[in-house]
Amino acid sequence: MESSSRQREQPASLEDCLKLLKGQRDEERLAGLLLVTKLCKSDDLDSLMTIYDAVGASFLERLLKTGLSKGVDNSGGEDSRDAFLQLSVTVLAAFCRVPQIAASEDMVSKIPMILEVMSKESVLSVREECYEFLYLVSAGSQNGVTTLYQSGGMKVLASDISSLPDGSHSMELAMKVVQVMLSKLSLSFIEVDCLSELAIIVSIMARQFAVLHNAMKFEALHLLSAIFSSEYLAPLCNALRLLPNENWSNHMRAGVVAMLHNRIAPAEKFEALILAESMVSIMGEAWLIGQINLPNVQDPIPPDRCLLLVLESSRVEVAVLLNDLAYTKYEASSSSTTAETIISKQRNLIIAFSLVENIIKLISNIGGTEGHPIDDGSTFTKVINGLNETVTVILEYLQDAKEHGQKKGNDLLASVRTVGSYLAETPIACKEKVRELLGYMLSIEGEEESSPFYSICFLLPMLCQITMQVEGCRVLASSGGYKAVVDCLIKLIGQNKHGVEVEDEGSIFLACDTILNFLLKREQFQFPEDKSTFYNLLKALVLWTGDTNEPSVTMMASSICTLILDFTSEDALLNHLNFDSNCLISLSRLIAGSLASWGQDMSNDVKAEMDLLEIITAGYSRWAHRFPQIRDAVER
């Protein structure tokens, strides 16, 4: 009854269409399909379902195969086949607007043929319908998107979308197809053989992101940020670096500048920062600088615009995120979502911090370079002021955490890393606040750490510089920071028992220089009474030099050992819990070997360490009488 009532309500022209579709001859059905394309509205899903039931899946497939010259009857000429092909694709796309039709196996099975249609230049008029079909079917079921990929969908997209007009509806549909594939397929699918195709797609999406000024610009932003925020980024980086030109990189910079320059939703602004951080990781921090030239834009965008916008946006994000984190952790009432909220904000904070640190690195690398776009005084001052404000906000966050007794957290560790990056370049910045918080910052642990380590490593460049002055040594002594540096160095050496790894070597020498500075100036400030900390270091330094003949290692270790031996004796050392006769024998060999380097036949490597050799020689003359075993080894 309901069905007959619905049919009575249908316009007469649609009834005529249905009669033709149910006819016995193909000519009648073709005429009916032609009426469908003219009469049926895209949102009239009931009518589409009724028409689909009337025409039947087998006739549609036969029509599509005929258009592709796969049918039994290939007569009629090329023009007729193209007409059949265009009609079948148009109708199939229309039917797939009904979700249950799009998800059906009948439609999924036609994906390979639609991809074949896209390779034909003669059917450019239905290119949009091809993309619509692929989008609706792949979005309709997991089997649909899997079939699309396995049928070479990514490769077809990569070769086809470069010819699509910027901002066209076909391009918009292509974006949606890519989004569906990436959201529903695992990395193992894409990584096998389609990374280069994905890189091409990214480069084309970057152009849309740069040149468009409508809603599609935001669609491109969402797609690119989804790719760069996903598991695809790491394997994709190399493929992007291998692209034949860097226009895509410039397009990305143009799009980021446009987003950050205009008033948009905070979430979308942060997506632009995600893209900026990803581009820096791919292209290096120099990506932040460059003149931007776009089609139909007469005045090029200044080369420092991206840098200044990214810094300002990152500064704001850091301030907002740290404020939100402090409120969530210390003031807001507990709830089931608090942990998820904190993790999400911490993840965003890491991205903002990464951008700040890369800007610090950029400024450090180009400082004083004549003719550089940002070394014009004005830009440089703006950057320094922005960095100062950001670091001040971070230090306030750390002060708040200290007052609440918080020492563990990845947000705290990341804060120390960013502060450490800045202080490595300007160790006198925020001098009073840093002095007040130094001991606390050296005590911070990451979520996975059982004791402070990375926080100390992050601060070593700054500590090495400030201990070149007596005031810095005094701060390190009063804060107890010297213990943290010694413990860090012992741990670094312990992790490299069989030789120093390249990635650890820099941190080890920074720690050594810090301790060396501290010991050399011990007479000029109140040196700590607890000297057992340094006795533990003796054993580690001997271990460090055990398997190497590298003069820089042996001279550094020997000079620190020499200064430590200044305030002890052989008997006192042997009575120490962690030092035995075997350690003393190794220490004797180290000192003797270093002193034996002195002479006219010194190698160039040894000559490069002359300042350390002088420390060892002078120290030995002061305490040799208290260490008979070492003296015997030297005189032997």
Side-chain angles (χ1 to χ4, degrees):
M1 180 71 68
E2 182 179 340
S3 175
S4 62
S5 174
R6 183 173 65 183
Q7 288 184 0
R8 282 196 301 272
E9 293 173 0
Q10 292 173 341
S13 56
L14 186 55
E15 287 185 1
D16 293 340
C17 176
L18 290 172
K19 288 179 182 178
L20 289 170
L21 291 171
K22 293 177 181 178
Q24 297 298 315
R25 294 179 301 127
D26 285 350
E27 289 81 356
E28 292 178 291
R29 293 182 178 182
L30 285 172
L33 286 178
L34 286 171
L35 280 178
V36 168
T37 62
K38 297 177 181 179
L39 300 175
C40 199
K41 296 180 179 180
S42 62
D43 58 351
D44 188 357
L45 302 187
D46 285 342
S47 295
L48 285 171
M49 192 71 205
T50 300
I51 294 170
Y52 179 74
D53 289 339
V55 70
S58 59
F59 178 74
L60 291 172
E61 182 165 351
R62 192 152 51 87
L63 180 63
L64 181 59
K65 286 183 175 180
T66 299
L68 286 170
S69 301
K70 296 178 182 291
V72 176
D73 181 11
N74 286 329
S75 62
E78 187 173 339
D79 290 343
S80 296
R81 288 196 297 273
D82 286 345
F84 291 154
L85 197 58
Q86 293 175 27
L87 176 61
S88 62
V89 171
T90 300
V91 173
L92 285 170
F95 285 146
C96 285
R97 293 166 193 156
V98 182
Q100 53 265 48
I101 295 177
S104 68
E105 185 56 37
D106 285 331
M107 294 298 117
V108 171
S109 66
K110 292 177 177 58
I111 288 177
M113 286 187 282
I114 295 297
L115 291 174
E116 186 177 346
V117 170
M118 293 174 67
S119 66
K120 293 180 173 292
E121 294 184 3
S122 59
V123 289
L124 290 177
S125 59
V126 289
R127 182 61 47 86
E128 184 175 311
E129 286 81 358
C130 288
Y131 277 108
E132 183 179 9
F133 175 89
L134 293 177
Y135 168 62
L136 293 171
V137 177
S138 60
S141 68
Q142 182 63 40
N143 191 27
V145 70
T146 301
T147 300
L148 175 59
Y149 179 80
Q150 292 178 339
S151 302
M154 188 70 77
K155 296 180 184 296
V156 171
L157 283 171
S159 63
D160 189 74
I161 60 175
S162 59
S163 63
L164 298 178
D166 293 333
S168 63
H169 187 51
S170 296
M171 182 67 78
E172 184 179 9
L173 289 168
M175 287 185 186
K176 291 182 178 181
V177 174
V178 174
Q179 182 68 64
V180 169
M181 293 179 76
L182 296 180
S183 63
K184 289 191 173 185
L185 294 175
S186 67
L187 176 62
S188 58
F189 271 97
I190 305 298
E191 192 176 5
V192 172
D193 57 358
C194 281
L195 282 178
S196 59
E197 285 78 11
L198 183 57
I200 293 171
I201 290 171
V202 166
S203 70
I204 295 167
M205 294 302 107
R207 177 175 169 81
Q208 308 308 301
F209 183 45
V211 303
L212 299 181
H213 301 286
N214 54 24
M216 271 186 68
K217 189 182 194 75
F218 291 91
E219 292 300 319
L221 168 67
H222 300 324
L223 175 57
L224 289 168
S225 65
I227 293 173
F228 287 157
S229 301
S230 72
E231 59 187 351
Y232 298 108
L233 180 58
L236 182 61
C237 284
N238 286 333
L240 287 169
R241 293 188 189 104
L242 294 174
L243 286 176
N245 63 69
E246 294 186 359
N247 279 342
W248 75 275
S249 172
N250 295 324
H251 287 148
M252 289 289 285
R253 184 165 51 242
V256 167
V257 165
M259 287 293 169
L260 298 181
H261 184 66
N262 293 293
R263 294 191 176 187
I264 58 175
E268 289 169 332
K269 183 160 286 193
F270 195 81
E271 284 186 328
L273 288 181
I274 290 174
L275 296 186
E277 197 273 337
S278 300
M279 290 305 299
V280 169
S281 70
I282 295 169
M283 308 299 293
E285 63 275 3
W287 176 85
L288 292 164
I289 304 171
Q291 189 162 293
I292 302 169
N293 296 291
L294 291 175
N296 304 319
V297 177
Q298 291 184 346
D299 298 325
I301 299 172
D304 64 353
R305 180 70 58 80
C306 183
L307 170 65
L308 294 175
L309 285 171
V310 168
L311 175 58
E312 176 60 18
S313 299
S314 300
R315 184 189 66 78
V316 172
E317 286 294 336
V318 166
V320 171
L321 288 167
L322 290 180
N323 184 65
D324 289 348
L325 278 171
Y327 176 79
T328 304
K329 291 165 71 174
Y330 308 134
E331 298 181 37
S333 57
S334 60
S335 66
S336 58
T337 60
T338 297
E340 293 181 11
T341 300
I342 291 177
I343 291 172
S344 174
K345 291 183 183 300
Q346 287 178 335
R347 189 181 302 117
N348 290 345
L349 185 64
I350 296 300
I351 292 171
F353 275 165
S354 175
L355 285 167
V356 172
E357 290 171 36
N358 276 292
I359 291 172
I360 293 169
K361 184 178 178 182
L362 176 66
I363 293 297
S364 172
N365 289 338
I366 66 177
T369 303
E370 281 189 39
H372 197 280
I374 72 168
D375 192 37
D376 62 355
S378 173
T379 301
F380 194 82
T381 300
K382 289 176 183 177
V383 174
I384 294 300
N385 289 340
L387 291 174
N388 272 330
E389 290 181 31
T390 304
V391 171
T392 299
V393 169
I394 298 172
L395 290 172
E396 289 172 356
Y397 180 71
L398 291 172
Q399 178 69 48
D400 197 14
K402 178 184 177 183
E403 292 172 359
H404 284 86
Q406 297 286 322
K407 291 186 177 181
K408 198 175 189 70
N410 290 339
D411 55 326
L412 298 177
L413 186 61
S415 297
V416 172
R417 185 191 65 199
T418 304
V419 170
S421 296
Y422 190 53
L423 294 179
E425 304 302 328
T426 56
I428 61 172
C430 311
K431 184 177 178 180
E432 296 302 320
K433 197 66 177 176
V434 170
R435 179 185 301 175
E436 180 183 351
L437 287 173
L438 181 58
Y440 169 70
M441 288 193 290
L442 291 169
S443 70
I444 285 175
E445 304 169 4
E447 294 290 353
E448 306 299 323
E449 290 185 283
S450 58
S451 61
F453 176 66
Y454 290 110
S455 59
I456 306 165
C457 291
F458 295 148
L459 293 171
L460 281 175
M462 181 268 291
L463 294 174
C464 183
Q465 291 189 66
I466 67 170
T467 52
M468 294 174 71
Q469 305 297 324
V470 176
E471 178 60 25
C473 294
R474 189 174 290 117
V475 170
L476 196 62
S478 62
S479 66
Y482 70 95
K483 291 184 179 180
V485 177
V486 169
D487 289 343
C488 177
L489 178 54
I490 291 173
K491 187 169 184 178
L492 282 168
I493 292 172
Q495 290 175 347
N496 296 278
K497 291 181 180 178
H498 302 294
V500 179
E501 299 291 341
V502 173
E503 57 267 28
D504 292 332
E505 195 170 48
S507 294
I508 287 181
F509 276 96
L510 283 170
C512 285
D513 281 332
T514 302
I515 294 167
L516 191 65
N517 292 338
F518 190 74
L519 292 172
L520 283 170
K521 296 176 180 63
R522 67 183 183 277
E523 302 294 340
Q524 303 174 56
F525 62 92
Q526 188 173 348
F527 195 76
E529 294 183 2
D530 177 21
K531 299 180 175 61
S532 61
T533 298
F534 296 98
Y535 298 160
N536 294 331
L537 180 57
L538 281 172
K539 185 175 181 179
L541 290 170
V542 170
L543 176 67
W544 183 31
T545 60
D547 299 320
T548 182
N549 293 317
E550 179 63 40
S552 61
V553 173
T554 57
M555 290 300 181
M556 176 61 78
S558 186
S559 59
I560 294 175
C561 290
T562 296
L563 294 174
I564 294 173
L565 296 180
D566 259 330
F567 46 76
T568 186
S569 66
E570 189 170 297
D571 289 339
L573 201 55
L574 289 172
N575 286 328
H576 184 64
L577 182 63
N578 292 323
F579 205 89
D580 56 26
S581 58
N582 288 330
C583 290
L584 183 59
I585 292 171
S586 298
L587 178 59
S588 300
R589 290 173 180 165
L590 173 61
I591 301 296
S594 300
L595 290 172
S597 301
W598 185 277
Q600 294 185 356
D601 296 330
M602 287 188 293
S603 67
N604 290 332
D605 289 337
V606 173
K607 289 178 181 178
E609 309 295 337
M610 275 297 295
D611 55 337
L612 297 179
L613 189 53
E614 290 172 0
I615 292 172
I616 299 166
T617 303
Y620 175 76
S621 66
R622 292 193 299 269
W623 49 251
H625 63 283
R626 299 198 306 272
F627 289 88
Q629 190 163 327
I630 296 179
R631 187 181 61 218
D632 289 345
V634 171
E635 295 176 354
R636 189 175 303 133

